[in-house]
Amino acid sequence: LKVILIGSGNVATHLGSALMRSKHTIVQVFSRSESAAKKLSRKLKCGYTTDVLSISSKADLYIIALRDEAIEIFLSQFPVTGKPIVHTSGSVSMNVFKKKFKDFGVFYPVQTFSMNREVNFKTVPICLEAGNELTKKKIQALAKSISSSCHFIDSKQRKQIHLAAVFANNFSNHLLVIAENIMAHQNISFDLLRPLILETAMKVQAKSPQDMQTGPAMRGDLAIIREHLKMLEGKPGFKKIYRLISESIAEKNGIRF
Ligand SMILES: NC(=O)c1ccc[n+]([C@@H]2O[C@H](COP(=O)([O-])OP(=O)(O)OC[C@H]3O[C@@H](n4cnc5c(N)ncnc54)[C@H](OP(=O)(O)O)[C@@H]3O)[C@@H](O)[C@H]2O)c1
């Protein structure tokens, strides 16, 4: 397909590269920032523009990979209404297209993307939604060409997947930031925790996380919990999180302190 990418951030970069590897043609990149648009266009060997009105009308599909809040504003300014268009958001409803477009859908990759970090797109689940049969066929074929895990999911369920993903990735990563902070305070290398972090992620590839829970809250070990809370005296934010998650673990497992 001939694709135009709207946005030049994490998703536009990774998705654009995956599409290029699968022999699709990226015709043009749009971004409000000239330097970002230029950089991505070089990587994807295509043209770029920073002007909404100069976005080419000669593509088979337009993929919007903008920040969630920017999608609706962009659509209100975008003049090419007669071509299939999708966004990549986990939380923005497909209805955002309804007023102005005929062929529309959603192309949400369930993965965490960061610049300068390669991702194997073949294993990335892609949640698809389409407003009509024609778009359905088009985006399904596109998704299948870059990933072996494609699923049709409606807007309501996609929002739930995004919510779960925030817990699974964003919150767990923040907890690692806290762990890193505690280690750094003692001048101990974070490397010491890396095998533990890896095993935590590996275990749940084959088992339910519910069956893999360990730790003082799971054991109902109140003495250790009290000691940890005391150690976090000077860090009220961390202490709050420790208490909240310990209570959640205990409650989920029927443990009483
Ligand atoms: N990152 C992930 O792991 C991930 C995974 C799945 C889905 N998604 C979804 O994919 C979409 C893009 O996410 P991302 O991670 O690629 O975001 P990102 O790296 O922050 O990039 C967002 C893009 O939107 C542009 N932008 C932001 N505000 C804008 C505005 N007001 N007007 C015009 N352009 C604006 C940015 O331009 P500037 O550089 O000029 O700010 C940038 O090109 C989002 O809907 C997100 O929910 C993200």
Side-chain angles (χ1 to χ4, degrees):
L1 289 187
K2 284 191 264 174
V3 175
I4 289 186
L5 284 171
I6 311 297
S8 56
N10 294 311
V11 172
T13 302
H14 283 280
L15 188 53
S17 303
L19 290 171
M20 200 167 95
R21 277 195 298 274
S22 294
K23 309 287 179 223
H24 297 284
T25 306
I26 312 299
V27 179
Q28 193 183 35
V29 166
F30 163 83
S31 179
R32 63 178 177 176
S33 134
E34 170 137 24
S35 61
K38 204 171 183 175
K39 192 171 167 207
L40 185 56
S41 73
R42 261 199 224 117
K43 192 178 168 84
L44 302 177
K45 300 182 180 22
C46 64
Y48 73 87
T49 181
T50 56
D51 175 12
V52 183
L53 301 178
S54 302
I55 297 174
S56 165
S57 58
K58 294 192 176 71
D60 303 311
L61 181 70
Y62 294 77
I63 301 180
I64 305 177
L66 296 178
R67 247 169 99 146
D68 289 4
E69 315 86 80
I71 295 175
E72 207 164 348
I73 303 160
F74 170 81
L75 290 178
S76 67
Q77 298 162 351
F78 185 49
V80 187
T81 55
K83 293 289 185 75
I85 185 163
V86 296
H87 69 63
T88 60
S89 168
S91 279
V92 175
S93 166
M94 185 173 70
N95 287 338
V96 72
F97 294 111
K98 249 187 177 164
K99 257 196 264 162
K100 198 169 157 184
F101 301 87
K102 191 166 63 70
D103 302 324
F104 51 80
V106 178
F107 199 95
Y108 167 53
V110 189
Q111 185 52 281
T112 170
F113 299 102
S114 302
M115 292 292 189
N116 305 320
R117 170 94 198 139
E118 280 304 315
V119 165
N120 175 10
F121 234 98
K122 278 282 163 215
T123 62
V124 176
I126 303 179
C127 295
L128 303 167
E129 192 178 5
N132 61 28
E133 237 0 82
L134 186 87
T135 319
K136 186 175 177 178
K137 283 199 179 114
K138 191 164 262 186
I139 63 174
Q140 185 175 31
L142 188 80
K144 277 186 171 172
S145 72
I146 57 170
S147 166
S148 40
S149 178
C150 309
H151 313 265
F152 276 94
I153 304 271
D154 66 23
S155 289
K156 207 170 149 200
Q157 273 193 321
R158 178 164 37 83
K159 278 178 204 257
Q160 297 289 337
I161 294 170
H162 186 223
L163 171 64
V166 167
F167 276 95
N169 171 248
N170 306 155
F171 290 174
S172 63
N173 193 73
H174 180 67
L175 296 179
L176 299 182
V177 172
I178 294 176
E180 186 180 42
N181 196 291
I182 291 169
M183 296 292 272
H185 237 80
Q186 301 300 318
N187 284 322
I188 311 171
S189 168
F190 184 65
D191 283 352
L192 218 83
L193 293 182
R194 290 191 203 274
L196 171 73
I197 296 162
L198 192 61
E199 176 61 7
T200 309
M202 293 302 285
K203 278 202 292 193
V204 299
Q205 297 306 309
K207 308 265 187 199
S208 160
Q210 177 59 41
D211 299 333
M212 294 297 108
Q213 190 67 57
T214 58
M218 180 69 193
R219 293 190 298 269
D221 201 334
L222 197 55
I224 301 288
I225 291 174
R226 281 204 186 109
E227 196 178 338
H228 284 170
L229 288 171
K230 218 166 144 195
M231 288 161 74
L232 291 171
E233 218 49 85
K235 305 251 180 209
F238 294 176
K239 191 174 171 183
K240 224 162 148 181
I241 292 172
Y242 186 103
R243 192 191 291 276
L244 208 68
I245 295 184
S246 294
E247 280 169 5
S248 179
I249 294 171
E251 191 188 311
K252 188 91 187 101
N253 293 286
I255 311 265
R256 282 176 178 278
F257 293 145

